[in-house]
C-alpha cells in the first residue's frame, strides 16, 4: 500500500527547510530589520581595564548632527535593575552587571555612554566627541596573583577576587597515588578564546506605549531567558514582553547570556518612544562578548604498571573576568572543567579543586563544550603521557580504562552519571576507519625520513539533553531542563508546531519537522515550525548545551502523539472505522487494508467548520501542548583521531587526517549531524592551533580585530570522516542524544596529543594551547638547547 | 559630511541613480539604501568576506569600498542569483551538500565561489580551498562548502550558465 511504504523521515538526510531563504539573501537577521523612525545606538566603551570615571562631558557630542540623546549611567538610573547572576553554590560571589558603567570601569570594552542618533554613522561621529576623564586604578590581571591577600580588589564590595571555589573528592587520592607505579603530571594551560559567531551581537527594541508592549529582536540563543530578564529588570508583566530571535548568525554559547546592551535598547526605546537598534562591530564583539577557557590546571595521574588508572588530582584556576554572566554565572566554565575531568574512564580516586578568579577582563561565559574542551585536553594528555611512560599504545591504554558496557550506569567521581553510551565502540570504530595500524606504519616511515608527524587520540563523554533535576550550570537559578511544544492542526489542515528553542544554524526547523511529520503522519511541507519567539509561551529558554533535539524532540513527540490521538478519534467517527484500523501518512488518514481515505485537510474542515455535526466528545480543537522533562538527560560520547605534521620551517601544524566516531543516539538527520561535527571540529582545531584572546600585562586587549584574532580558514581544516555509532537507546523520548558541542570537545585534545606525538623525538609535550607556530618554535628551540 | 555625491550604478541588472554620502560604504548602501540585506557584515575590516559582492565582474569586499567608487559600474549581490523556487545551481549545490548552517557567511561565500567558478579552473580541492580562504565560515568547517563548490562548478560548466 502506497501510504505505508513511505520511508520514515527521522533518520533521513532531508534537505533543510531554512536553506532557500538563507541562500537567496532573504534570511532576516536582527540587523536586517529597519522599522520606521528607527534610531541607532553607538556606545563609548572603556579604554581602560580598571579605572574610576572622574568626569563625562557630552556637551559637544550633543550638538552633533542627528543626535537624539546621550545617556550615561546616571541618565538611565532607575530605568532598569542591574543584571545579577545568583548561585546556590556555597562559595560564590558576584556583583550586579551594570547596563552602563557607573563609577568604575572593570574591563576594556565596558560600555560607559550611549549615543542615540538617527543613523549609525552619525552615532559613531558623535561618540567620538564624548570626553571621559578616567583615573586608572591598580589591578591584577594575573589570576594567581589576584588571589594573594595584597592584591587590589576588582570589586572591593566582595572582599575578595575569588568569585567561586569548589572541591570534588572521591576515594583516597594520596594513598592511591602512593601505590601507583607510574605518576605523570603537568601544568596545563588553555588560553582565552572567543566564540566569534560571524554575526556579531545586534538588538532592536520597539516599545508600543499605547499597548505598553515591548518587542525585542535579538541575536540571542535564549529568547526565553531574555524575556524573563526583561520582565524582571524593567518591571513589566511577561505578557507585555515579546522576545524574538530571528535568523541568528551562529552563537556557540556566547549568545546564551543576557547582555547589558539588550536591556539598554529596551530602556531607550521606552524612553524615546522610537525603535532603537544597537549592532556591535567586531572590535566591540571582541571586547564585550563573553569569552571562554582561560584556565591553568595542575594535574596528576597515577597509573598501575598494567595501565589501570588509579588516581587523579587537579587544581584548576580559571580567570573569569570582571563579572558573572547571567544566568550561567562565572562558575559555568571552570567548575565544569573539574566536574568532567575524569572523562569516560573508570577511576576510583579523584580530587578536583577549582577557583574562579575575578580580573579586569571580559567576563567568561559558556562556549561550545563548556569546560569539557579543557578537561578533555588535560585528561587525554595525561593518559598519553602515562602510555608513553609505560610503553603502552595509547589506544590500548584507553580501551583498558574506558567504562565497559556492563558497568553502566557509571557514577563519575564528581557525581555525574554516565548512562550506557558507545565509549569503547566509538574508539574501535574510529581506529578502524582511520586504519590506525596503517597510520602508525606511515608515521614510522615519515619519522625515519625526518618528518614531524604524529597521531593523536581523544575520547570523551558529555552530558546532553539535561533535564530539570540538574542545573545546566552549577548552582544557577534558572530551570533549563524542560521544553514545551504546542502542535496545532488548523482549519485548513496545515500544521503549526511551536517550540521554545532558538535555532542559530542547527537546522531545527528541519529536524523538528521531520519528527512531527513522522509522528503525525503528515508531509514536511504541511508543517511550519515556529521557534525563537516567546509570543504566547508560558516558559521557554532557548538553544544551548546540546539540548534542543533531546528536549524539543521529546516535547514534539508527546504533543504530536496527543494531536494524533484526537485526529484518529475524529477520523474513526467520520470514516466509520475502529481507531485500531486507522493509520496516517503523507497527510492522509486511511483505513488499513482498504482504499478508504481522508486527507488531513478534509478532516480539519469537518472538525472545525462542520463542528455541530460532531458528537460532543469530539468537539475539540486538534491541538495539544506538552511539556517534556528528560529529568537527568543522557550521555553522548565520541573518539577523535587526528594525524598532523609540523612544518620544520614555519612551525605550522597541518592536519592531515581526521576521523570522528560518535554516539548521539538516534540520528534525526545524518547530514545535519555531520555538519555539526565538522563545524565543531573546525572550532576545536582553531582553539588548538590559532585562536587566542590576548591581554597585555596591564589589561589592554591586544586582539581587537580578525587580523589579530585568527580563525581557521578553508585552507586550515582537513576533510573529516564522521561515523555514527549507536549503543543501546537511551531513556530519552525518541532515543535522541545531544551532539551540537561534541566536535569542539574532542578536537583540541586530539590535536594536542598528535602534535606532542609528532614532536616526541625532541622530548616535547604540548601542555599549552593554542599550539601556535610561535609556541612550537619556542619549545623546539628550548629542546635543542637542552640537547646541546 | 553631509554633502552628497550623485551616482549611477547598475545593481543586479537594475539601473540605480541616487545621492549618497561619499563616506557611505558600498555594503551599507546595499543594505540600507537599497534594502538588499542579503549582503552581511562580519567584521567591517576586510577579513571575513561575509560582505563579498561582485563589482564590475570581480569579487569585492563591500566593507572596504565606498558606494561612490561603484559609480558607473555594475554590482551583483546574492539577490541576483536564484529565487526561493528556482535556486541557482550554486545555491542548489550548497543546499544539497549542506554547505550552510547559520547562513550568515553564505551570501559572501556564494559570490566568491561564483567569481571563482567563472574565472578559475578549480582543478582540485586545494585550489577551491585557496580561492575560498578569504571567506570565513564559523559553522561548517568548510568541508561541505568545498564539496558544494566542486559539484556546482561541474554543473555550471556543463550547462554553460
Ligand atoms: S565585513 Fe567585509 S570582509 Fe568582513
Ligand atoms: S554558515 Fe554560519 S558562518 Fe558560515
Amino acid at each position: 500500500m502506497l501510504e505505508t511504504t513511505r520511508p520514515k523521515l527521522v533518520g533521513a538526510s532531508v534537505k533543510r527547510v531554512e536553506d532557500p531563504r538563507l541562500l537567496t539573501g532573504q534570511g532576516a537577521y536582527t540587523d536586517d530589520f529597519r522599522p520606521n523612525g528607527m534610531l541607532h545606538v553607538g556606545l563609548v566603551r572603556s579604554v581602560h581595564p580598571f579605572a574610576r570615571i572622574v568626569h563625562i562631558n557630552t556637551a559637544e557630542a550633543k550638538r552633533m548632527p542627528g543626535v537624539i540623546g546621550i545617556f550615561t549611567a546616571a541618565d538611565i538610573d532607575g530605568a532598569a535593575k542591574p543584571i545579577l547572576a545568583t548561585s546556590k553554590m556555597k562559595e560564590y560571589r558576584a556583583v550586579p552587571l551594570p547596563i552602563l558603567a557607573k563609577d568604575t570601569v572593570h574591563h576594556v570594552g565596558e560600555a560607559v555612554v550611549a549615543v542615540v542618533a538617527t543613523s549609525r554613522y552619525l552615532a559613531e561621529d558623535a561618540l567620538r566627541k564624548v570626553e571621559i576623564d578616567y583615573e586608572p586604578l591598580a589591578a591584577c590581571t594575573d589570576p594567581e596573583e589576584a588571589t594573594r591577600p595584597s592584591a587590589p580588589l576588582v570589586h572591593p564590595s566582595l572582599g575578595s577576587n575569588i568569585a567561586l571555589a569548589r572541591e570534588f573528592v572521591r576515594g583516597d587520592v594520596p594513598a592511591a597515588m602512593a601505590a601507583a607505579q607510574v605518576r605523570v603530571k603537568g601544568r596545563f594551560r588553555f588560553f582565552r578564546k572567543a566564540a566569534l559567531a560571524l554575526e556579531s551581537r545586534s538588538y532592536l527594541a520597539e516599545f508600543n506605549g499605547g499597548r505598553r508592549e515591548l518587542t525585542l529582536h535579538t541575536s540571542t540563543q535564549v529568547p526565553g531567558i531574555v524575556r524573563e530578564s526583561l520582565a524582571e529588570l524593567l518591571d513589566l508583566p511577561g505578557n507585555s514582553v515579546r522576545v524574538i530571535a530571528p535568523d541568528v548568525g551562529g552563537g556557540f554559547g556566547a549568545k546564551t547570556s543576557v547582555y547589558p546592551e539588550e536591556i539598554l535598547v529596551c530602556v531607550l526605546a521606552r524612553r524615546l518612544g522610537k525603535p532603537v537598534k544597537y549592532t556591535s562591530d567586531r572590535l566591540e564583539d571582541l571586547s564585550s562578548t563573553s569569552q571562554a577557557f582561560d584556565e591553568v590546571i595542575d594535574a596528576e595521574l597515577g597509573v598501575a604498571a598494567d595501565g589501570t588508572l588509579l588516581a587523579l588530582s587537579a587544581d584548576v584556576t580559571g580567570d573569569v573576568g570582571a563579572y558573572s554572566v547571567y544566568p550561567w554565572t562565572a562558575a559555568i566554565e571552570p567548575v565544569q572543567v573539574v566536574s568532567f575531568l575524569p572523562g569516560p574512564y573508570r577511576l576510583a580516586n579523584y580530587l578536583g579543586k577549582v577557583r574562579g578568579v575575578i580580573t579586569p577582563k571580559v567576563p567568561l561565559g559558556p562556549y561550545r563544550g563548556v569546560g569539557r574542551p579543557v578537561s578533555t585536553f588535560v585528561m587525554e594528555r595525561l593518559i598519553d603521557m602515562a602510555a608513553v611512560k609505560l610503553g603502552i599504545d595509547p589506544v590500548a591504554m584507553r580501551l583498558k580504562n574506558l567504562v565497559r558496557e556492563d558497568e553502566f550506569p557509571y557514577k563519575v567521581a564528581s557525581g555525574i552519571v554516565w548512562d550506557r553510551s558507545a565509549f569503547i565502540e566509538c574508539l574501535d570504530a574510529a581506529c578502524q576507519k582511520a586504519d590506525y595500524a596503517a597510520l602508525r606504519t606511515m608515521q614510522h616511515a615519515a619519522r625515519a625520513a625526518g618528518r614531524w608527524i604524529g597521531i593523536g587520540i581523544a575520547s570523551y563523554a558529555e552530558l546532553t539533553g539535561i533535564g530539570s533535576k540538574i542545573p545546566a550550570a552549577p548552582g544557577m537559578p534558572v530551570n533549563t531542563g524542560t521544553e514545551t511544544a504546542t502542535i496545532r492542526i488548523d482549519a485548513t489542515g496545515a500544521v503549526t508546531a511551536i517550540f521554545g528553542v532558538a535555532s542559530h544554524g542547527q537546522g531545527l526547523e528541519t529536524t523538528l519537522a521531520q519528527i512531527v511529520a513522522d509522528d503525525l503522519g503528515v508531509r514536511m511541507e504541511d508543517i511550519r515550525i515556529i521557534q525563537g519567539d516567546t509570543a504566547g509561551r508560558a516558559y521557554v529558554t532557548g538553544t544551548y548545551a546540546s539540548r534542543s533535539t533531546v528536549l524539543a524532540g521529546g516535547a514534539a513527540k508527546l504533543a504530536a502523539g496527543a494531536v494524533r490521538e484526537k485526529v484518529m478519534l475524529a477520523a474513526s467517527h467520520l470514516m466509520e472505522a475502529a481507531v485500531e484500523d486507522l493509520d496516517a501518512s503523507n497527510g492522509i488518514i486511511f483505513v488499513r487494508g482498504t482504499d478508504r481515505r481522508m486527507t488531513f485537510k478534509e478532516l480539519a474542515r469537518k472538525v472545525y467548520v462542520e463542528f455541530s455535526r460532531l458528537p460532543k466528545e469530539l468537539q475539540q480543537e486538534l491541538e495539544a501542548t506538552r511539556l517534556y522533562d528528560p529529568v537527568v538527560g543522557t550521555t553522548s560520547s565520541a573518539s577523535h583521531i587526528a594525524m598532523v605534521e609540523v612544518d620544520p620551517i614555519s612551525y605550522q601544524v597541518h592536519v592531515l587526517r581526521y576521523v570522528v566516531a560518535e554516539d548521539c543516539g538516534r540520528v534525526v538527520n545524518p547530514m545535519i549531524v555531520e555538519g555539526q561535527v565538522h563545524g565543531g571540529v573546525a572550532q576545536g582545531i582553531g582553539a588548538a592551533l590559532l585562536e587566542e584572546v590576548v591581554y597585555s600585562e596591564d589589561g589592554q586587549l591586544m586582539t581587537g580585530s580578525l587580523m589579530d584574532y585568527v580563525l581557521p580558514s578553508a585552507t586550515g581544516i582537513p576533510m573529516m570522516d564522521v561515523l555514527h555509532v549507536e549503543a543501546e537507546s537511551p531513556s530519552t523520548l525518541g532515543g535522541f542524544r545531544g551532539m551540537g558541542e561534541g566536535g569542539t570537545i574532542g578536537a583540541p585534545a586530539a590535536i594536542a596529543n598528535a602534535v606532542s606525538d609528532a614532536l616526541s623525538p625532541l622530548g616535547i609535550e604540548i601542555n599549552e594551547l593554542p599550539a601556535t607556530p610561535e609556541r612550537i618554535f619556542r619549545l623546539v628551540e628550548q629542546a635543542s638547547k637542552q640537547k646541546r | 559630511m553631509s554633502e552628497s555625491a550623485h551616482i549611477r550604478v547598475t545593481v543586479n541588472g537594475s539601473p540605480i541613480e541616487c545621492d549618497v554620502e561619499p563616506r557611505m560604504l558600498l555594503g551599507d548602501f546595499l543594505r540600507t539604501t537599497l534594502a538588499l540585506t542579503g549582503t552581511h557584515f562580519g567584521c567591517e575590516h576586510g577579513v571575513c568576506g561575509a560582505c563579498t559582492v561582485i563589482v564590475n565582474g570581480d569579487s569585492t569586499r563591500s566593507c572596504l569600498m565606498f558606494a561612490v567608487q561603484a559609480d558607473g559600474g555594475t554590482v551583483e549581490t546574492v539577490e541576483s542569483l536564484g529565487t526561493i523556487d528556482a535556486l541557482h545551481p550554486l545555491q542548489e549545490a550548497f543546499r544539497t551538500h549542506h554547505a550552510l548552517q547559520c547562513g550568515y557567511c553564505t551570501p559572501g561565500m556564494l559570490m566568491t565561489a561564483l567569481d571563482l567558478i567563472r574565472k578559475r579552473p578549480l582543478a582540485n580541492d586545494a585550489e577551491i580551498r585557496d580561492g575560498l580562504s578569504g571567506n570565513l565560515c564559523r559553522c561548517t568547517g568548510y568541508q561541505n562548502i568545498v564539496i558544494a563548490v566542486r559539484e556546482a562548478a561541474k554543473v555550471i560548466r556543463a550547462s554553460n550558465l
Side-chain angles (χ1 to χ4, degrees):
Chain A
M1 195 142 298
L2 178 104
E3 292 88 350
T4 49
T5 54
R6 188 191 59 131
K8 287 275 186 206
L9 291 167
V10 169
S13 288
V14 175
K15 284 191 202 171
R16 298 202 321 167
V17 175
E18 296 85 344
D19 287 355
R21 72 166 188 268
L22 300 178
L23 283 162
T24 53
Q26 295 177 74
Y29 303 84
T30 299
D31 192 53
D32 298 341
F33 291 85
R34 277 158 217 286
N36 281 339
M38 183 177 80
L39 303 174
H40 297 255
V41 183
L43 292 170
V44 186
R45 293 179 177 276
S46 172
V47 291
H48 291 280
F50 190 36
R52 201 169 66 81
I53 301 169
V54 179
H55 181 69
I56 301 176
N57 182 355
T58 60
E60 196 189 343
K62 274 189 181 133
R63 290 193 297 270
M64 292 291 287
V67 170
I68 301 293
I70 298 194
F71 302 85
T72 63
D75 298 318
I76 58 164
D77 194 33
K81 291 171 211 152
I83 308 167
L84 179 60
T86 57
S87 172
K88 293 186 199 94
M89 264 179 59
K90 254 191 243 125
E91 193 173 337
Y92 170 82
R93 297 174 188 89
V95 296
L97 175 56
I99 311 300
L100 292 170
K102 207 171 180 180
D103 309 309
T104 313
V105 290
H106 295 90
H107 66 84
V108 170
E110 184 167 2
V112 184
V113 178
V115 175
V116 183
T118 51
S119 82
R120 195 173 168 206
Y121 282 70
L122 294 175
E124 286 183 16
D125 287 343
L127 63 84
R128 283 195 191 94
K129 303 289 179 187
V130 173
E131 289 165 18
I132 306 176
D133 291 338
Y134 293 101
E135 178 195 323
L137 300 169
C140 256
T141 55
D142 178 87
E144 285 178 310
E145 271 172 38
T147 60
R148 297 208 183 115
S150 58
L153 298 179
V154 177
H155 300 296
S157 66
L158 296 181
S160 168
N161 283 330
I162 298 179
L164 59 112
R166 195 162 164 178
E167 211 175 287
F168 296 87
V169 197
R170 182 183 179 187
D172 185 346
V173 168
M177 276 299 179
Q181 277 83 355
V182 164
R183 289 160 74 159
V184 285
K185 67 173 172 185
R187 162 159 271 221
F188 299 90
R189 175 131 210 207
F190 212 142
F191 286 91
R192 198 170 256 256
K193 180 181 189 305
L196 220 125
L198 207 57
E199 177 206 25
S200 48
R201 294 187 292 116
S202 180
Y203 310 120
L204 165 64
E206 292 165 85
F207 190 76
N208 182 325
R211 302 171 68 105
R212 246 178 92 75
E213 208 171 59
L214 174 69
T215 305
L216 177 71
H217 282 81
T218 157
S219 59
T220 190
Q221 298 175 233
V222 289
I225 291 175
V226 173
R227 181 186 66 176
E228 312 313 316
S229 290
L230 286 175
E232 158 74 15
L233 303 178
L234 300 175
D235 204 14
L236 287 166
N239 60 10
S240 303
V241 184
R242 180 177 177 191
V243 177
I244 301 166
D247 287 320
V248 173
F252 317 114
K255 291 176 180 169
T256 58
S257 300
V258 177
Y259 281 92
E261 299 91 339
E262 241 162 348
I263 314 292
L264 177 70
V265 290
C266 295
V267 166
L268 296 175
R270 199 179 187 182
R271 171 89 48 107
L272 299 167
K274 289 264 174 69
V276 173
K277 183 193 279 175
Y278 165 74
T279 297
S280 78
D281 65 21
R282 191 50 70 187
L283 169 62
E284 292 184 282
D285 179 61
L286 282 163
S287 62
S288 69
T289 299
S290 73
Q291 298 175 345
F293 304 163
D294 209 351
E295 283 128 348
V296 178
I297 305 101
D298 289 302
E300 182 170 21
L301 181 67
V303 185
D306 68 348
T308 304
L309 307 188
L310 298 177
L312 173 67
S313 74
D315 194 341
V316 177
T317 303
D319 179 343
V320 299
Y323 295 102
S324 206
V325 296
Y326 183 88
W328 315 100
T329 82
I332 185 163
E333 164 69 25
V335 173
Q336 292 219 153
V337 175
V338 255
S339 303
F340 285 93
L341 197 64
Y345 303 106
R346 205 178 313 105
L347 184 65
N349 302 289
Y350 176 52
L351 171 62
K353 286 191 210 165
V354 57
R355 286 180 308 179
V357 184
I358 301 168
T359 63
K361 296 175 195 159
V362 169
L364 214 71
Y367 166 69
R368 198 175 199 173
V370 189
R372 292 157 296 198
V374 176
S375 69
T376 305
F377 159 55
V378 173
M379 188 62 181
E380 294 301 291
R381 282 296 303 124
L382 287 169
I383 295 218
D384 266 25
M385 287 158 75
V388 167
K389 235 175 168 176
L390 287 164
I392 301 178
D393 182 87
V395 173
M397 181 83 185
R398 285 173 175 80
L399 287 174
K400 187 167 190 65
N401 291 290
L402 284 168
V403 174
R404 280 189 313 261
E405 192 180 337
D406 56 317
E407 294 168 316
F408 292 105
Y410 183 82
K411 188 162 183 181
V412 182
S414 54
I416 295 160
V417 177
W418 299 136
D419 63 350
R420 166 91 169 98
S421 177
F423 290 8
I424 290 175
E425 295 89 330
C426 281
L427 181 54
D428 279 339
C431 287
Q432 216 170 40
K433 181 76 193 179
D435 200 344
Y436 180 67
L439 288 189
R440 285 286 175 211
T441 313
M442 236 162 85
Q443 180 192 22
H444 287 309
R447 206 169 255 179
R451 288 164 67 187
W452 291 339
I453 286 198
I455 300 163
I457 298 162
S459 296
Y460 65 86
E462 55 169 334
L463 216 48
T464 65
I466 295 169
S468 66
K469 207 175 162 195
I470 11 185
M476 70 179 284
V478 169
N479 165 32
T480 55
T482 55
E483 175 71 26
T484 305
T486 296
I487 299 182
R488 171 188 309 140
I489 301 174
D490 64 29
T492 71
V495 180
T496 306
I498 312 170
F499 297 88
V501 294
S503 191
H504 43 283
Q506 297 87 342
L508 292 170
E509 289 170 52
T510 308
T511 45
L512 293 174
Q514 287 178 258
I515 295 169
V516 173
D518 272 358
D519 283 19
L520 218 47
V522 299
R523 300 166 305 177
M524 287 285 284
E525 56 267 39
D526 298 329
I527 302 171
R528 177 177 293 275
I529 300 289
I530 296 182
Q531 47 93 52
D533 187 345
T534 65
R537 310 307 287 162
Y539 180 76
V540 294
T541 58
T543 286
Y544 49 87
S546 301
R547 75 188 290 271
S548 294
T549 305
V550 179
L551 277 91
K557 291 187 82 66
L558 290 174
V563 173
R564 186 178 163 115
E565 208 169 287
K566 290 185 177 183
V567 167
M568 291 307 178
L569 281 177
S572 159
H573 168 77
L574 295 166
M575 298 170 82
E576 295 176 351
V579 168
E580 307 81 65
D581 296 333
L582 293 174
D583 205 345
S585 124
N586 275 322
I588 296 162
I589 304 145
F590 55 95
V591 183
R592 262 191 231 101
T594 73
D595 56 6
R596 278 154 63 205
R597 53 176 60 204
M598 178 179 248
T599 63
F600 273 71
K601 191 172 176 169
E602 288 161 346
L603 178 117
R605 192 182 156 76
K606 289 203 185 299
V607 168
Y608 290 107
V609 183
E610 296 167 26
F611 190 74
S612 63
R613 291 198 211 160
L614 290 176
K616 217 104 234 87
E617 68 277 12
L618 295 181
Q619 290 184 335
Q620 55 177 353
E621 287 179 315
L622 303 174
E623 173 172 337
T625 296
R626 290 290 182 275
L627 176 143
Y628 178 53
D629 175 5
V631 191
V632 284
T634 183
T635 305
S636 298
S637 59
S639 285
H640 291 209
I641 299 184
M643 185 179 221
V644 305
E645 174 157 21
V646 182
D647 184 320
I649 295 164
S650 70
Y651 297 94
Q652 252 180 340
V653 176
H654 301 288
V655 184
L656 307 176
R657 181 104 173 86
Y658 208 99
V659 177
V660 178
E662 52 84 31
D663 173 14
C664 68
R666 188 144 165 232
V667 176
V668 178
N669 186 322
M671 173 187 90
I672 288 179
V673 165
E674 273 171 45
Q676 287 291 313
V677 175
H678 293 165
V681 168
Q683 285 188 16
I685 291 176
L689 299 176
L690 302 168
E691 297 178 38
E692 182 177 349
V693 174
V694 180
Y695 279 93
S696 71
E697 235 169 83
D698 53 8
Q700 278 298 334
L701 178 72
M702 309 304 283
T703 44
S705 81
L706 294 187
M707 257 104 76
D708 317 297
Y709 189 86
V710 184
L711 300 186
S713 75
T715 48
I717 303 296
M719 287 294 184
M720 309 163 206
D721 282 315
V722 181
L723 306 169
H724 310 296
V725 181
E726 260 189 81
E728 84 189 15
S729 186
S731 61
T732 54
L733 273 181
F736 311 130
R737 302 177 195 262
M739 55 73 53
E741 299 168 279
T744 308
I745 297 174
I751 298 287
N753 277 342
V755 178
S756 301
D757 187 39
L759 299 177
S760 60
L762 307 175
I764 289 173
E765 284 175 348
I766 299 296
N767 293 346
E768 286 192 349
L769 292 181
T772 55
E774 184 181 337
R775 284 205 178 94
I776 294 176
F777 168 75
R778 286 185 197 288
L779 289 169
V780 172
E781 281 289 283
Q782 222 179 333
S784 54
K785 253 186 227 148
Q786 275 162 7
K787 252 194 194 149
R788 270 184 235 137
Chain B
M1 290 292 163
S2 52
E3 93 257 28
S4 57
H6 193 72
I7 61 166
R8 273 173 240 255
V9 50
T10 303
V11 178
N12 299 336
S14 307
I16 308 272
E17 221 186 306
C18 67
D19 294 326
V20 293
E21 256 192 88
R23 64 169 174 169
M24 179 172 267
L25 296 175
L26 176 61
D28 279 324
F29 173 70
L30 294 169
R31 288 179 52 75
T32 58
T33 313
L34 303 185
L36 294 171
T37 52
T39 300
H40 301 148
F41 285 133
C43 68
E44 297 173 84
H45 53 249
V47 180
C48 76
C51 65
T52 305
V53 297
I54 295 180
V55 179
N56 300 330
D58 292 324
S59 63
T60 302
R61 291 172 183 226
S62 64
C63 72
L64 290 187
M65 180 175 174
F66 296 113
V68 289
Q69 292 174 285
D71 186 23
T74 60
V75 178
E76 296 164 73
T77 71
V78 68
E79 285 91 349
S80 71
L81 302 178
T83 62
I84 292 260
D85 299 314
L87 295 176
H88 182 280
L90 181 58
Q91 292 167 316
E92 197 66 63
F94 266 58
R95 188 177 188 207
T96 304
H97 298 286
H98 190 33
L100 68 155
Q101 291 183 23
C102 78
Y104 199 79
C105 71
T106 310
M109 242 356 139
L110 289 169
M111 299 321 280
T112 300
L114 190 65
D115 192 40
L116 288 175
I117 292 171
R118 284 175 182 168
K119 293 178 186 159
R120 298 226 207 138
L122 302 184
N124 51 48
D125 284 359
E127 205 192 331
I128 296 174
R129 284 183 185 271
D130 189 55
L132 294 174
S133 65
N135 285 66
L136 298 175
C137 174
R138 195 55 159 162
C139 300
T140 63
Y142 303 105
Q143 177 153 338
N144 290 342
I145 297 179
V146 172
I147 295 169
V149 173
R150 184 210 294 152
E151 296 309 311
K154 285 185 205 155
V155 174
I156 291 170
R157 280 166 191 174
S159 59
N160 257 327
L161 270 163

